[in-house]
């Protein structure tokens, strides 16, 4: 038998083997066969299921400080709407620094250094007290120790004027003595830390170019 005939026989055998192999795979509908294409309504593409996004949930920046749905919470939300840059946590951080700065300026009789941060009424009240001390020959020596407690007590927002007001309750700790003209202590103890409780209200026109809040009212 010639070599050409032998080659034809070998090739024919390989072809038969491949045909049988393919038939076994296709006939079982296994492997990588694509499913039949849908027809009619089934042909419409199935919409992708996206993750559900829940809007309008509680603002933790607000509910961390006042009850959800309370008048104060509603006022704070209105402030945020009027001024998206407003953040309650950041405001309270600034209020902490303002409390120390303004309180110590008052204690030391240097209220003019914080005039931009207090209203005219508050400035006049502080200035009157300081002037009264001077007339009596009294001086105050104080050292600020820290703030023991700070909490948001209330908040209001005027839709017409866009003025937001936030009331903060402070419990400060400081040492303070009052001396007379001769330098004698008439009140206080330099070695005793006393607690001072204050309720201050800060206000600002929300959305204005001036980012500073002003102290507009004080109380205990």
């Amino acid at each position: 038998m010639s070599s050409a005939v032998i080659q034809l026989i070998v090739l024919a055998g390989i072809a038969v083997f491949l045909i049988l192999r393919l038939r076994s795979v296709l006939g079982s509908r296994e492997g990588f066969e694509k499913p039949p294409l849908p027809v009619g309504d089934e042909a419409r593409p199935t919409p992708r299921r996206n993750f559900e996004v829940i809007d309008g949930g509680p603002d933790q920046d607000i509910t961390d400080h006042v009850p959800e749905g309370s008048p104060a919470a509603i006022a704070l939300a209105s402030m945020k709407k009027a001024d998206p840059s407003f953040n309650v946590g950041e405001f309270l951080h600034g209020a902490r620094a303002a409390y120390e700065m303004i309180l110590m300026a008052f204690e030391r009789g240097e209220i003019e250094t914080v005039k931009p941060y207090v209203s005219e009424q508050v400035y006049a009240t502080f200035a009157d007290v300081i002037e009264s001390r001077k007339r009596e020959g009294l001086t105050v020596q104080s050292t600020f120790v820290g703030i023991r407690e700070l909490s948001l007590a209330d908040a209001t927002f005027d839709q017409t004027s866009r003025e937001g007001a936030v009331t903060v309750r402070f419990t400060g700790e400081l040492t303070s003595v009052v001396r007379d003209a001769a330098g004698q202590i008439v009140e206080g103890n330099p070695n005793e830390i006393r607690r001072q409780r204050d309720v201050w209200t800060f206000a600002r026109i929300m959305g204005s170019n001036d980012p500073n809040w002003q102290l507009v009212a004080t109380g205990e």
Side-chain angles (χ1 to χ4, degrees):
M1 185 180 294
S2 66
S3 60
V5 174
I6 295 174
Q7 289 178 357
L8 288 174
I9 294 173
V10 171
L11 291 174
I14 293 174
V16 170
F17 172 78
L18 291 175
I19 291 171
L20 293 174
R21 181 63 177 170
L22 287 173
R23 180 176 295 177
S24 66
V25 173
L26 293 175
S28 63
R29 304 185 68 84
E30 294 177 356
F32 296 98
E33 180 183 10
K34 292 183 179 180
L37 294 176
V39 296
D41 292 338
E42 296 180 358
R44 297 175 182 174
T46 303
R48 295 183 59 185
R49 183 179 297 276
N50 296 322
F51 289 106
E52 184 178 3
V53 178
I54 301 176
D55 295 326
D59 185 343
Q60 196 167 354
D61 180 50
I62 294 176
T63 57
D64 279 350
H65 306 286
V66 295
E68 182 181 357
S70 65
I74 295 172
L76 291 171
S78 297
M79 291 184 210
K80 285 193 162 192
K81 185 175 181 180
D83 186 348
S85 67
F86 173 60
N87 179 279
V88 180
E90 291 177 359
F91 165 81
L92 291 175
H93 182 75
R96 177 183 293 269
Y99 178 74
E100 177 182 356
M101 179 179 66
I102 297 173
L103 177 62
M104 297 313 295
F106 170 71
E107 292 284 316
R108 296 166 182 164
E110 302 170 350
I111 193 62
E112 67 279 354
T113 61
V114 294
K115 190 173 184 179
Y117 308 107
V118 299
S119 68
E120 293 182 1
Q121 182 179 359
V122 171
Y123 180 84
T125 301
F126 283 176
D128 286 345
V129 175
I130 293 171
E131 187 60 32
S132 177
R133 291 181 198 156
K134 291 180 179 179
R135 288 195 301 267
E136 297 177 19
L138 302 176
T139 57
V140 179
Q141 294 178 330
S142 297
T143 301
F144 190 80
V145 177
I147 295 178
R148 186 175 183 84
E149 296 178 0
L150 181 154
S151 61
L152 198 158
D154 197 10
T156 60
F157 180 69
D158 189 317
Q159 296 284 354
T160 302
S161 65
R162 297 173 65 87
E163 181 182 69
V166 183
T167 301
V168 183
R169 185 177 291 109
F170 299 94
T171 300
E173 294 184 330
L174 63 157
T175 61
S176 179
V177 295
V178 180
R179 298 180 184 271
D180 60 18
Q184 298 298 313
I185 296 177
V186 297
E187 184 181 336
N189 185 332
N191 300 316
E192 180 180 305
I193 297 176
R194 67 178 177 87
R195 292 182 183 176
Q196 177 165 318
R197 292 178 173 83
D198 292 290
V199 178
W200 287 8
T201 299
F202 300 88
R204 173 178 175 261
I205 302 300
M206 307 307 295
S208 68
N209 293 328
D210 186 357
N212 293 321
W213 292 74
Q214 279 196 330
L215 175 62
V216 297
T218 62
E220 296 181 1

